[in-house]
C-alpha cells in the first residue's frame, strides 16, 4: 500500500487514487499511522477542513501528545483563519458587512482553537521561533496585545 500510495501521489500526481489507496490501507491496518497521516495530508492540501480535523482527531486519539499532530491541527486552524480573512476582505469590498461579521466570528473561533494547541507544542519546543511567532500573531489577531508583547519579547530574547 505504501509503495502504491507513493507512486500515485508522487509519480502519477493522482490524488484521487492515492486517497482511495490510503483509505483502503487504513481500513485494513487501522493502527498504522502512516496511512492516517497521509490521508489527513491530502485533505489539508485540498482545503477540506472538516475531513482534515476528523483525521487529525483519529491521529491524536492514538497519540494525544504527538507534537507533530498537534502542530498540524493548530496549523490547520490557523490556515482556516487565514482563508477566512480573505473571505472577509472580499465581503467588505462588496459592502456585505453583516456577512463579513459572521465570517469574522468564525475566524476568531479558528484562532482561539489554534492557540491551546500551539501553546502545547511550545511546551515541547520552547525555543522554536516559528511557534513563538505564530503564538504572538494569534494573540495579536485576537486583540490580546499584552500577551502578544510578551511573545515579542520572547522572540527578541532568542
Amino acid at each position: 500500500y505504501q509503495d502504491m500510495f507513493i507512486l500515485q501521489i508522487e509519480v502519477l500526481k493522482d490524488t484521487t487514487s492515492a486517497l482511495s489507496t490510503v483509505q483502503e490501507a487504513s481500513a485494513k491496518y487501522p493502527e498504522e499511522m502512516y496511512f492516517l497521516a497521509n490521508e489527513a495530508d491530502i485533505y489539508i492540501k485540498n482545503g477540506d477542513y472538516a475531513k482534515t480535523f476528523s483525521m487529525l482527531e483519529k491521529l491524536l486519539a492514538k497519540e494525544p501528545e504527538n507534537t507533530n499532530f498537534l502542530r498540524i491541527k493548530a496549523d490547520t486552524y490557523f490556515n482556516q483563519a487565514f482563508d477566512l480573512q480573505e473571505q472577509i476582505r472580499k465581503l467588505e469590498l462588496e459592502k456585505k458587512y453583516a456577512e463579513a461579521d459572521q465570517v469574522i466570528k468564525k475566524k476568531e473561533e479558528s484562532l482561539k482553537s489554534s492557540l491551546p494547541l500551539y501553546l502545547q507544542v511550545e511546551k515541547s519546543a520552547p525555543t522554536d521561533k516559528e511557534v513563538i511567532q505564530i503564538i504572538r500573531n494569534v494573540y495579536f489577531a485576537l486583540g490580546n496585545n499584552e500577551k502578544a508583547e510578551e511573545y515579542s519579547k520572547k522572540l527578541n530574547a532568542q
Side-chain angles (χ1 to χ4, degrees):
Y1 284 105
Q2 187 173 358
D3 291 341
M4 284 177 24
F5 171 76
I6 291 169
L7 174 70
Q8 291 165 334
I9 201 80
E10 293 180 10
V11 177
L12 300 175
K13 309 284 188 220
D14 184 351
T15 307
T16 304
S17 293
L19 180 59
S20 178
T21 297
V22 294
Q23 288 172 333
E24 182 180 330
S26 290
K28 194 168 185 175
Y29 304 104
E31 296 304 314
E32 183 57 55
M33 304 287 281
Y34 175 84
F35 301 117
L36 292 172
N38 279 293
E39 185 175 350
D41 189 50
I42 290 171
Y43 293 137
I44 289 168
K45 289 176 180 166
N46 290 338
D48 189 335
Y49 294 113
K51 287 183 180 177
T52 300
F53 288 125
S54 174
M55 292 307 304
L56 289 169
E57 287 303 318
K58 288 179 183 178
L59 291 167
L60 286 165
K62 293 175 186 278
E63 291 185 31
E65 301 300 317
N66 185 313
T67 55
N68 291 326
F69 298 152
L70 291 168
R71 173 67 191 268
I72 293 168
K73 187 173 182 183
D75 286 348
T76 303
Y77 278 120
F78 189 81
N79 291 337
Q80 183 178 40
F82 185 80
D83 290 348
L84 291 170
Q85 181 58 44
E86 184 60 26
Q87 279 185 310
I88 294 164
R89 188 186 67 73
K90 288 177 182 176
L91 289 169
E92 288 175 343
L93 286 173
E94 297 170 3
K95 299 189 185 317
K96 295 180 180 178
Y97 300 114
E99 290 176 44
D101 286 344
Q102 293 301 314
V103 179
I104 288 169
K105 289 177 185 172
K106 288 180 184 177
K107 175 188 160 192
E108 289 174 355
E109 288 173 19
S110 288
L111 290 171
K112 287 178 183 175
S113 295
S114 75
L115 189 57
L117 298 166
Y118 280 126
L119 292 171
Q120 199 171 347
V121 171
E122 181 194 20
K123 287 179 185 176
S124 298
T127 59
D128 185 329
K129 283 187 175 188
E130 184 181 22
V131 171
I132 293 169
Q133 186 171 10
I134 292 171
I135 293 170
R136 181 198 64 191
N137 293 346
V138 170
Y139 277 128
F140 181 74
L142 292 173
N144 189 335
N145 294 334
E146 185 178 315
K147 282 293 210 179
E149 182 60 33
E150 178 185 322
Y151 276 83
S152 290
K153 288 177 184 175
K154 281 186 179 187
L155 273 175
N156 293 333
Q158 290 185 351

